[in-house]
PDB file of all heavy atoms in Angstrom:
ATOM      1  N   GLN O   5     -42.455  56.393  -8.861  1.00 46.00           N
ATOM      2  CA  GLN O   5     -41.910  57.567  -9.571  1.00 46.00           C
ATOM      3  C   GLN O   5     -41.523  57.173 -10.997  1.00 46.00           C
ATOM      4  O   GLN O   5     -41.731  57.923 -11.944  1.00 46.00           O
ATOM      5  CB  GLN O   5     -40.676  58.100  -8.832  1.00 46.00           C
ATOM      6  CG  GLN O   5     -41.054  58.885  -7.578  1.00 46.00           C
ATOM      7  CD  GLN O   5     -39.824  59.179  -6.732  1.00 46.00           C
ATOM      8  OE1 GLN O   5     -38.974  58.310  -6.510  1.00 46.00           O
ATOM      9  NE2 GLN O   5     -39.729  60.408  -6.256  1.00 46.00           N
ATOM     10  N   ILE O   6     -40.993  55.941 -11.134  1.00 37.00           N
ATOM     11  CA  ILE O   6     -40.630  55.480 -12.495  1.00 37.00           C
ATOM     12  C   ILE O   6     -41.898  55.404 -13.342  1.00 37.00           C
ATOM     13  O   ILE O   6     -41.951  55.879 -14.482  1.00 37.00           O
ATOM     14  CB  ILE O   6     -39.947  54.091 -12.456  1.00 37.00           C
ATOM     15  CG1 ILE O   6     -38.626  54.184 -11.697  1.00 37.00           C
ATOM     16  CG2 ILE O   6     -39.699  53.543 -13.856  1.00 37.00           C
ATOM     17  CD1 ILE O   6     -37.963  52.863 -11.441  1.00 37.00           C
ATOM     18  N   LEU O   7     -42.977  54.830 -12.706  1.00 36.00           N
ATOM     19  CA  LEU O   7     -44.241  54.725 -13.442  1.00 36.00           C
ATOM     20  C   LEU O   7     -44.759  56.099 -13.869  1.00 36.00           C
ATOM     21  O   LEU O   7     -45.220  56.291 -14.980  1.00 36.00           O
ATOM     22  CB  LEU O   7     -45.301  54.054 -12.568  1.00 36.00           C
ATOM     23  CG  LEU O   7     -45.347  52.532 -12.618  1.00 36.00           C
ATOM     24  CD1 LEU O   7     -46.573  52.034 -11.874  1.00 36.00           C
ATOM     25  CD2 LEU O   7     -45.393  52.041 -14.051  1.00 36.00           C
ATOM     26  N   ASP O   8     -44.638  57.065 -12.916  1.00 44.00           N
ATOM     27  CA  ASP O   8     -45.076  58.438 -13.238  1.00 44.00           C
ATOM     28  C   ASP O   8     -44.325  58.960 -14.442  1.00 44.00           C
ATOM     29  O   ASP O   8     -44.871  59.627 -15.309  1.00 44.00           O
ATOM     30  CB  ASP O   8     -44.844  59.372 -12.046  1.00 44.00           C
ATOM     31  CG  ASP O   8     -45.938  59.160 -10.997  1.00 44.00           C
ATOM     32  OD1 ASP O   8     -46.942  58.484 -11.334  1.00 44.00           O
ATOM     33  OD2 ASP O   8     -45.760  59.628  -9.860  1.00 44.00           O
ATOM     34  N   GLY O   9     -43.049  58.642 -14.484  1.00 39.00           N
ATOM     35  CA  GLY O   9     -42.202  59.075 -15.605  1.00 39.00           C
ATOM     36  C   GLY O   9     -42.733  58.524 -16.925  1.00 39.00           C
ATOM     37  O   GLY O   9     -42.876  59.239 -17.901  1.00 39.00           O
ATOM     38  N   PHE O  10     -43.113  57.208 -16.892  1.00 37.00           N
ATOM     39  CA  PHE O  10     -43.676  56.598 -18.099  1.00 37.00           C
ATOM     40  C   PHE O  10     -44.976  57.290 -18.500  1.00 37.00           C
ATOM     41  O   PHE O  10     -45.219  57.602 -19.656  1.00 37.00           O
ATOM     42  CB  PHE O  10     -43.988  55.100 -17.847  1.00 37.00           C
ATOM     43  CG  PHE O  10     -42.815  54.220 -18.112  1.00 37.00           C
ATOM     44  CD1 PHE O  10     -42.135  53.609 -17.077  1.00 37.00           C
ATOM     45  CD2 PHE O  10     -42.394  54.021 -19.421  1.00 37.00           C
ATOM     46  CE1 PHE O  10     -41.058  52.802 -17.333  1.00 37.00           C
ATOM     47  CE2 PHE O  10     -41.308  53.198 -19.671  1.00 37.00           C
ATOM     48  CZ  PHE O  10     -40.634  52.592 -18.624  1.00 37.00           C
ATOM     49  N   ALA O  11     -45.805  57.598 -17.457  1.00 40.00           N
ATOM     50  CA  ALA O  11     -47.104  58.228 -17.726  1.00 40.00           C
ATOM     51  C   ALA O  11     -46.918  59.595 -18.358  1.00 40.00           C
ATOM     52  O   ALA O  11     -47.618  59.972 -19.292  1.00 40.00           O
ATOM     53  CB  ALA O  11     -47.892  58.351 -16.423  1.00 40.00           C
ATOM     54  N   ALA O  12     -45.915  60.298 -17.836  1.00 40.00           N
ATOM     55  CA  ALA O  12     -45.644  61.636 -18.369  1.00 40.00           C
ATOM     56  C   ALA O  12     -45.244  61.540 -19.839  1.00 40.00           C
ATOM     57  O   ALA O  12     -45.642  62.337 -20.682  1.00 40.00           O
ATOM     58  CB  ALA O  12     -44.547  62.303 -17.558  1.00 40.00           C
ATOM     59  N   THR O  13     -44.474  60.549 -20.126  1.00 37.00           N
ATOM     60  CA  THR O  13     -43.992  60.420 -21.502  1.00 37.00           C
ATOM     61  C   THR O  13     -45.131  60.017 -22.434  1.00 37.00           C
ATOM     62  O   THR O  13     -45.276  60.521 -23.529  1.00 37.00           O
ATOM     63  CB  THR O  13     -42.884  59.346 -21.574  1.00 37.00           C
ATOM     64  OG1 THR O  13     -41.994  59.569 -20.510  1.00 37.00           O
ATOM     65  CG2 THR O  13     -42.168  59.378 -22.894  1.00 37.00           C
ATOM     66  N   TRP O  14     -45.932  58.971 -21.987  1.00 41.00           N
ATOM     67  CA  TRP O  14     -46.957  58.429 -22.889  1.00 41.00           C
ATOM     68  C   TRP O  14     -48.359  59.021 -22.661  1.00 41.00           C
ATOM     69  O   TRP O  14     -49.355  58.495 -23.118  1.00 41.00           O
ATOM     70  CB  TRP O  14     -47.050  56.908 -22.708  1.00 41.00           C
ATOM     71  CG  TRP O  14     -45.815  56.230 -23.170  1.00 41.00           C
ATOM     72  CD1 TRP O  14     -44.851  56.741 -23.930  1.00 41.00           C
ATOM     73  CD2 TRP O  14     -45.468  54.899 -22.867  1.00 41.00           C
ATOM     74  NE1 TRP O  14     -43.887  55.828 -24.144  1.00 41.00           N
ATOM     75  CE2 TRP O  14     -44.215  54.656 -23.500  1.00 41.00           C
ATOM     76  CE3 TRP O  14     -46.046  53.856 -22.139  1.00 41.00           C
ATOM     77  CZ2 TRP O  14     -43.574  53.449 -23.408  1.00 41.00           C
ATOM     78  CZ3 TRP O  14     -45.415  52.672 -22.061  1.00 41.00           C
ATOM     79  CH2 TRP O  14     -44.171  52.453 -22.694  1.00 41.00           C
ATOM     80  N   GLY O  15     -48.465  60.202 -21.848  1.00 39.00           N
ATOM     81  CA  GLY O  15     -49.762  60.786 -21.535  1.00 39.00           C
ATOM     82  C   GLY O  15     -50.342  60.110 -20.313  1.00 39.00           C
ATOM     83  O   GLY O  15     -49.773  59.159 -19.791  1.00 39.00           O
ATOM     84  N   SER O  16     -51.477  60.572 -19.840  1.00 45.00           N
ATOM     85  CA  SER O  16     -52.038  60.040 -18.593  1.00 45.00           C
ATOM     86  C   SER O  16     -53.111  58.994 -18.873  1.00 45.00           C
ATOM     87  O   SER O  16     -54.209  59.063 -18.365  1.00 45.00           O
ATOM     88  CB  SER O  16     -52.575  61.184 -17.731  1.00 45.00           C
ATOM     89  OG  SER O  16     -53.547  61.867 -18.480  1.00 45.00           O
ATOM     90  N   ASN O  17     -52.774  58.050 -19.740  1.00 51.00           N
ATOM     91  CA  ASN O  17     -53.693  56.970 -20.077  1.00 51.00           C
ATOM     92  C   ASN O  17     -53.656  55.895 -18.979  1.00 51.00           C
ATOM     93  O   ASN O  17     -52.686  55.144 -18.833  1.00 51.00           O
ATOM     94  CB  ASN O  17     -53.209  56.386 -21.426  1.00 51.00           C
ATOM     95  CG  ASN O  17     -54.155  55.308 -21.916  1.00 51.00           C
ATOM     96  OD1 ASN O  17     -54.857  54.712 -21.127  1.00 51.00           O
ATOM     97  ND2 ASN O  17     -54.137  55.092 -23.217  1.00 51.00           N
ATOM     98  N   LYS O  18     -54.771  55.810 -18.130  1.00 52.00           N
ATOM     99  CA  LYS O  18     -54.768  54.916 -16.955  1.00 52.00           C
ATOM    100  C   LYS O  18     -54.598  53.428 -17.341  1.00 52.00           C
ATOM    101  O   LYS O  18     -53.759  52.743 -16.770  1.00 52.00           O
ATOM    102  CB  LYS O  18     -56.052  55.092 -16.133  1.00 52.00           C
ATOM    103  CG  LYS O  18     -56.114  56.410 -15.413  1.00 52.00           C
ATOM    104  CD  LYS O  18     -55.452  56.308 -14.048  1.00 52.00           C
ATOM    105  CE  LYS O  18     -55.610  57.683 -13.404  1.00 52.00           C
ATOM    106  NZ  LYS O  18     -54.546  58.122 -12.615  1.00 52.00           N
ATOM    107  N   PRO O  19     -55.378  52.894 -18.342  1.00 49.00           N
ATOM    108  CA  PRO O  19     -55.188  51.470 -18.672  1.00 49.00           C
ATOM    109  C   PRO O  19     -53.753  51.182 -19.112  1.00 49.00           C
ATOM    110  O   PRO O  19     -53.160  50.180 -18.738  1.00 49.00           O
ATOM    111  CB  PRO O  19     -56.151  51.226 -19.835  1.00 49.00           C
ATOM    112  CG  PRO O  19     -57.138  52.329 -19.773  1.00 49.00           C
ATOM    113  CD  PRO O  19     -56.438  53.497 -19.160  1.00 49.00           C
TER     114      PRO O  19
END
Side-chain angles (χ1 to χ4, degrees):
Q5 284 169 316
I6 296 172
L7 272 189
D8 282 348
F10 273 109
T13 314
W14 293 345
S16 58
N17 184 336
K18 290 272 181 216

